[in-house]
Amino acid sequence: MKNILVTGGAGFIGSNFVHMMLDTYDDIEVIVYDKLTYAGNLDNLIPVADNPHYTFYKGDICHANNVDEVMKKHKIDTIVNFAAETHVDRSLMEPGGFIQTDVYGTYVLLEAAKKHGVERMNQVSTDEVYGQVLEGRSKENDRLHTRSPYSASKAGGDLMCQAYYTSFNVPVTITRGSNNIGQYQYPEKVVPLFISNALEDKPLPVYGDGLQMRDYQYVLDHCRGIDMVLRKGMHGEIYNIGSGMETTNIVMTKAILHLLNKPESLIQYITDRPGHDRRYALDVSKAQALGWKNEYDFERAIAATVKWYVENQDWWRKVKEKKDYQEYYQRNYAGRDIKNDKI
Ligand code: NAD
Ligand code: DAU
C-alpha cells in the first residue's frame, strides 16, 4: 500500500481517514478524488493541504476516463471508496443520484481496479444493508434486507464488489460501518444537526417516538478499522465495523442537550421518516479478530463531537448559511407535524 486513491475524501469520513493516514504513515501518497457535491467540503482538508504526500482532484467516480487518468498518473495500488450519496432522507426525495453514484460509480472503480491490477480496493459500506434488526446482531454473511433507496444502492455496490472478486479475482474487501459521529460531519445528519440547532437555540426535530436504536461510533475508530482491514483483511471478505453498543435517539438527543447545558424543551417530536429502520446492531467479532478494537464508548464519542462543534462554529455556520442547505431543510422538515403532545 503506497499510492492510495481515496474517493469521496472531501466528505465526513473520507476526510477523517485522510488525516489519520497522513498522521500515521510517512511512506504513503494519498490522492483524493472527489466530485465536491453539497457534502464535499475542501475546508475538511485544510489541515493537510500543504502536506507533500497529499494531492486533490475534483472528479466524479462515474467518469471512467478521468478515474483512469488519475489511476495511471499516480500508479494507484489501493482504492478506498468513500464516494457516495449518503443521506437517507435525501434518498427518499431523489433516489436517482444514489443509484448513479453508489452503484454505477462503484462499478466504474471496480473496472479501474481490474484494469490497473490494484493490490486492494476497499468498499466503504454500511450496516443499513442488513435492514432493521429487531433482535440480535448482524453478521457479515447475513441476508441483505434493504428498506430505503440509500441502503438498496449501497447493497448494489457491495454485490458488484463481490461479483468482481468472484468473476475477475479483483482483490476487494468490504467494510460495513455503523452511524459515525465526529468532526466534519455535514449538519443534515442527526448529531451535527442537533448540536448546531441547540447552539442556535432552534428545535431538535426527533422523528417518531425517538426510541430507534443506532450504534453511534466515533469516526476515528471506524477509520482505524478500515486501515486494519486494508492491511490484514482477506480478499473477497466483508468486515463489520461498529462500536457494538446501542443508544436510542432520544438518549443521544438528551446527552447533547445536557453537554451544552440547553433545555429539553428544545426537543420537538415530529412526523417519522417513511420506512424508518427501528434498530441496527452489528456483530464486530470478525474485525476484532484482525486486531482492531473500538476505543471510544458513546459518552466519550459524543463529548468529543460536541466539543468540536462548539469550538468550530465557523465550519458549520458557513455550511448552514448556504442556500442549498436552507432549501433542503425547508423541504425535509416544513411539512411534518409536531407531535409533542402525543408522546
Ligand atoms: P459524506 O456525504 O459526508 O461524503 C461523501 C463524499 O463523496 C463527499 O465528499 C462527496 O462530494 C463525494 N461524492 C459524492 N458523489 C460523488 C461522485 N459521484 N464522485 C466522486 N465523489 C463523490 O459521506 P460520509 O458520511 O463521509 O460517508 C462516506 C462513506 O461511508 C459512504 O460510502 C457511506 O455510505 C459510508 N458510511 C457512512 C456512515 C456514516 O455514518 N456517515 C456509516 C457507514 C458507512
Ligand atoms: O448506519 C449507518 C448510516 O448512518 C450511514 O450508512 C448513513 O450514510 C448515515 O447517514 C446514517 O444513516 P441514518 O439514517 O441512521 O442517520 P441520520 O443521521 O440521518 O439519522 C440517525 C437517526 O436519527 C435515525 O434513526 C433518524 C433519526 N433522525 C434523523 C434526523 C436527520 C431524527 O430523529 N431527526 C432528524 O432530523
Side-chain angles (χ1 to χ4, degrees):
M1 186 159 74
K2 169 101 181 70
N3 301 321
I4 311 172
L5 183 69
V6 181
T7 53
F12 163 48
I13 308 175
S15 61
N16 276 286
F17 181 78
V18 170
H19 295 173
M20 184 205 73
M21 293 299 277
L22 289 171
D23 284 349
T24 312
Y25 306 105
D26 53 18
D27 58 347
I28 55 166
E29 299 299 315
V30 173
I31 294 90
V32 172
Y33 182 89
D34 194 298
K35 186 178 174 183
L36 296 182
T37 66
Y38 76 94
N41 186 346
L42 284 178
D43 287 354
N44 302 357
L45 293 165
I46 288 173
V48 296
D50 296 327
N51 189 310
H53 299 290
Y54 156 80
T55 311
F56 177 83
Y57 289 95
K58 180 174 178 189
D60 189 330
I61 58 165
C62 299
H63 295 164
N65 290 343
N66 298 349
V67 170
D68 199 50
E69 225 170 88
V70 174
M71 294 284 299
K72 238 185 328 208
K73 181 163 180 203
H74 291 274
K75 300 187 173 58
I76 297 296
D77 53 44
T78 306
I79 302 175
V80 187
N81 180 27
F82 292 94
E85 288 295 336
T86 61
H87 194 41
V88 173
D89 292 317
R90 288 185 195 252
S91 84
L92 297 168
M93 296 170 185
E94 285 170 11
F98 287 71
I99 298 162
Q100 180 67 10
T101 290
D102 303 6
V103 185
Y104 184 81
T106 302
Y107 147 75
V108 169
L109 294 176
L110 285 162
E111 275 294 311
K114 176 165 149 253
K115 179 173 168 189
H116 294 274
V118 300
E119 288 167 20
R120 177 65 63 85
M121 169 166 156
N122 186 66
Q123 171 73 353
V124 182
S125 185
T126 169
D127 59 2
E128 300 207 6
V129 296
Y130 299 115
Q132 61 177 1
V133 184
L134 300 180
E135 280 171 19
R137 298 187 163 274
S138 304
K139 286 185 83 82
E140 286 82 352
N141 54 3
D142 281 358
R143 212 177 132 235
L144 304 189
H145 196 87
T146 59
R147 288 161 40 94
S148 73
Y150 165 67
S151 57
S153 320
K154 290 297 292 183
D158 286 13
L159 293 174
M160 200 56 75
C161 288
Q162 291 182 296
Y164 268 65
Y165 171 70
T166 308
S167 308
F168 309 119
N169 222 8
V170 174
V172 295
T173 43
I174 297 170
T175 47
R176 292 189 175 144
S178 62
N179 282 64
N180 279 218
I181 59 174
Q183 58 273 29
Y184 303 117
Q185 187 170 29
Y186 190 86
E188 65 188 348
K189 307 293 181 341
V190 73
V191 166
L193 173 70
F194 282 11
I195 297 170
S196 58
N197 275 16
L199 285 166
E200 295 176 306
D201 294 310
K202 288 186 180 156
L204 276 49
V206 173
Y207 292 160
D209 62 8
L211 297 178
Q212 308 83 6
M213 302 279 236
R214 291 292 182 272
D215 171 338
Y216 289 103
Q217 180 178 45
Y218 193 54
V219 63
L220 291 177
D221 275 327
H222 184 199
C223 292
R224 286 189 308 98
I226 293 170
D227 183 32
M228 182 66 85
V229 169
L230 285 172
R231 285 163 196 280
K232 298 205 175 150
M234 303 278 288
H235 294 172
E237 292 292 315
I238 302 167
Y239 297 88
N240 290 340
I241 302 177
S243 75
M245 289 168 281
E246 295 163 55
T247 310
T248 61
N249 285 334
I250 195 64
V251 165
M252 171 275 293
T253 306
K254 288 182 178 173
I256 290 172
L257 291 171
H258 176 73
L259 285 161
L260 292 173
N261 203 16
K262 294 284 182 178
E264 289 187 8
S265 56
L266 285 177
I267 295 173
Q268 202 166 68
Y269 290 94
I270 60 167
T271 310
D272 208 350
R273 171 187 279 173
H276 194 169
D277 287 342
R278 194 74 178 161
R279 174 177 179 263
Y280 305 128
L282 288 175
D283 179 321
V284 295
S285 51
K286 190 170 166 184
Q288 284 170 336
L290 296 180
W292 167 84
K293 188 165 134 283
N294 195 70
E295 284 180 2
Y296 284 70
D297 62 13
F298 174 72
E299 283 69 28
R300 200 173 152 214
I302 197 76
T305 304
V306 167
K307 184 169 184 288
W308 190 85
Y309 285 85
V310 168
E311 289 173 356
N312 292 275
Q313 299 203 21
D314 289 352
W315 182 89
W316 58 263
R317 285 186 195 278
K318 194 167 154 190
V319 174
K320 282 185 133 183
E321 268 165 18
K322 288 193 183 152
K323 196 164 158 242
D324 63 349
Y325 179 86
Q326 285 167 15
E327 280 170 0
Y328 158 76
Y329 201 84
Q330 181 72 9
R331 190 169 170 199
N332 192 45
Y333 294 99
R336 296 180 191 248
D337 292 337
I338 298 167
K339 299 176 180 256
N340 275 20
D341 53 327
K342 298 199 182 123
I343 300 294

